[in-house]
Amino acid sequence: MNASGFLRVLAVDDEPPALDELVYHLRADPRVARLHTAGDATEALRVLRDTDVDVVFLDIRMPGLDGMELARVLRRFARPPAIVFVTAYDDGAVDAFDLGATDYVRKPVRAERLAESLRRVMGSRVVPSHPAALARAEEDPTIPVELAGTTRMLPRSAVRWVEAQGDYARLHTADGSHLVRVSLATLAERWADAGFVRIHRSYLVQLRLIAELRLVNSGYVVLIDAAELPVSRRHTRELKDKLVRAAKQDWNR
C-alpha cells in the first residue's frame, strides 16, 4: 500500500472489452491511487518487474500463462500482491482458495461487488502485517462459496462437517450450508492436518466437534450439533482410535 493509504492496482485480462469494464469500475473507486493494465501474463510480469502493486485483479482463462499459473508465480515474490480473480467461470474457485486469493469475482463485474473486493484487499494488506496474524491466516484458510449471487470467502474453521454430493461437496456450518465444486476426497486430503476425518464415503467431519459416537441397529453414528451422521464399518476402528488419542491429548494438557 502506498503512503497515502490507497491502493496500487494491476488489472489483467486478455479480452479488451472485459478489461475496459474492469478499468472503468476501478478508476471510479477512490481507494485506487494508481492503475496499471496488462493484456496477458507476460505483459503483467513486465509491469510487475518495474512497478510495485498492492493487488492484481486477474482473469483466469488467458492464452499462454493463465491466471492460476501467474498467481503461483506471484506467490513466490518477496512481497506478493493480493490476488483477486475476475472470471466468467466458477470452476476455478477451489484452486483460488488453495492459492490464498483475497476474493473471487464473477463476470460481468458490478461496481458494488468490486467495491467489496477492494474493501477486503484493504483489510488484508493492513491487518495481517503482524507475524501472529499471518500465522493465523495460514492456519485458517478460506474457501470461496456462493451466497445469493455473491462469492464469499468462508473460513475453514466455520465448517462443521462436509457431505459429498456427486462431484461437489456441501460444507455445513453452524448457520447453514454451502455447495462447492470440489470432491470430498480432495477436501479429505487437504484438510486432514486441520483435524477433518473421513467417517464414510459421503461424510467428512471435524474430529474435535464429535459430541458422541453411538452404536445403533445398523452400525455406528456420530453426533455433531443436531446431526446424526453414519460411520461406515471400514472407518469405525480408525475413528475410535483417533477419538481415544484426542481424548488422551486433552487429559495430558
Side-chain angles (χ1 to χ4, degrees):
M1 192 172 298
N2 61 23
S4 67
F6 293 151
L7 294 167
R8 300 163 296 185
V9 178
L10 171 61
V12 187
D13 199 310
D14 66 304
E15 298 179 355
L19 183 59
D20 289 344
E21 180 184 32
L22 181 58
V23 166
Y24 173 79
H25 290 305
L26 288 169
R27 288 195 192 281
D29 195 292
R31 288 166 291 194
V32 176
R34 285 188 298 180
L35 179 60
H36 306 272
T37 63
D40 57 32
T42 301
E43 186 179 356
L45 289 171
R46 282 199 294 264
V47 172
L48 292 165
R49 180 187 60 195
D50 302 322
T51 308
D52 289 330
V53 302
D54 300 299
V55 55
V56 179
F57 283 81
L58 182 57
D59 187 24
I60 291 180
R61 298 192 181 181
M62 298 187 295
L65 199 69
D66 68 21
M68 290 293 178
E69 292 167 330
L70 177 58
R72 292 185 181 95
V73 172
L74 299 183
R75 287 189 69 185
R76 296 199 292 267
F77 281 25
R79 296 181 61 186
I83 300 292
V84 174
F85 287 108
V86 184
T87 177
Y89 307 94
D90 63 1
D91 56 0
V94 173
D95 288 333
F97 145 67
D98 280 345
L99 288 169
T102 301
D103 207 351
Y104 190 93
V105 179
R106 292 287 302 277
K107 296 178 180 177
V109 177
R110 295 178 289 112
E112 61 271 21
R113 184 65 184 87
L114 205 61
E116 169 67 11
S117 288
L118 289 166
R119 183 192 65 77
R120 294 180 186 181
V121 171
M122 292 284 286
S124 71
R125 304 304 282 177
V126 175
V127 176
S129 58
H130 190 279
L134 281 171
R136 287 194 298 271
E138 292 175 356
E139 291 169 0
D140 192 15
T142 56
I143 185 168
V145 298
E146 290 292 323
L147 184 63
T150 299
T151 303
R152 302 290 186 189
M153 306 304 282
L154 178 73
R156 183 176 61 191
S157 61
V159 178
R160 318 284 285 180
W161 51 281
V162 186
E163 179 182 5
Q165 294 192 348
D167 293 332
Y168 290 74
R170 182 166 294 280
L171 311 180
H172 291 266
T173 66
D175 54 4
S177 68
H178 306 276
L179 193 65
V180 296
R181 190 170 183 175
V182 59
S183 70
L184 193 72
T186 298
L187 287 181
E189 179 181 350
R190 294 176 179 174
W191 289 6
D193 291 343
F196 283 85
V197 297
R198 194 78 172 261
I199 62 167
H200 189 277
R201 66 179 181 179
S202 298
Y203 295 98
L204 180 71
V205 304
Q206 172 55 259
L207 184 70
R208 63 179 174 79
L209 298 179
I210 294 177
E212 188 175 306
L213 175 65
R214 178 189 307 161
L215 180 63
V216 296
N217 293 334
S218 57
Y220 282 93
V221 298
V222 295
L223 183 66
I224 296 183
D225 299 329
E228 279 192 358
L229 307 177
V231 181
S232 66
R233 289 182 180 177
R234 67 185 294 257
H235 290 101
T236 299
R237 172 51 56 192
E238 182 182 6
L239 177 61
K240 287 181 176 179
D241 290 344
K242 288 181 177 180
L243 287 170
V244 169
R245 286 198 299 269
K248 286 181 178 179
Q249 289 174 357
D250 288 340
W251 294 335
N252 292 330
R253 284 177 183 173

